Amino acid sequence: MSYHKKYTLDRFEGDYAIFLQHPDETKQLLVHLGDIGVEVKQGDIVTIYDNGQTYEVQVLKQETANQKQHITNLMQQLREKNK
C-alpha cells in the first residue's frame, strides 16, 4: 500500500534528513540521504511517496517559496512593531 504526505525538511542529522509532517509539524519522518534522490534544503516543503519499500521525494517549489515569503513578511512586521 502506498501513500503520500507533505513534509517540511527541518534539519539534517548525520546521514538522515528529518522531515516534519506539514502543516502541524508534530510528526517526524527520518529518511536516509541515499533514499531521497533529489536536492533538498532546510525549509523545503516536499511530498513524500512511500510504497513501503522506497521513498520518492518531490520538492514543492511554489509552496516552499510561498512559505518563505510568508516568514519574511512576518519578520518584517515584527521589526516594524519593535521600532
Side-chain angles (χ1 to χ4, degrees):
M1 178 178 204
S2 66
Y3 66 91
H4 70 278
K5 294 184 179 176
K6 286 186 187 177
Y7 292 88
T8 302
L9 176 55
D10 183 54
R11 65 190 181 280
F12 296 100
E13 287 187 6
D15 291 336
Y16 290 87
I18 313 301
F19 292 94
L20 301 178
Q21 191 171 335
H22 190 76
D24 61 2
E25 301 188 348
T26 57
K27 295 180 184 176
Q28 289 188 12
L29 175 67
L30 280 65
V31 179
H32 192 274
L33 294 177
D35 294 335
I36 294 177
V38 295
E39 183 180 331
V40 291
K41 300 179 297 293
Q42 284 181 277
D44 280 350
I45 298 173
V46 301
T47 297
I48 298 179
Y49 297 88
D50 179 2
N51 69 10
Q53 296 177 346
T54 61
Y55 295 107
E56 180 184 335
V57 178
Q58 288 184 326
V59 178
L60 302 173
K61 294 180 183 188
Q62 188 59 49
E63 286 190 47
T64 298
N66 292 346
Q67 183 67 16
K68 288 180 181 181
Q69 185 60 49
H70 177 70
I71 291 169
T72 300
N73 291 345
L74 289 175
M75 295 297 291
Q76 185 64 32
Q77 287 175 4
L78 284 173
R79 282 189 208 103
E80 290 174 4
K81 183 178 179 180
N82 290 325
K83 285 185 178 182

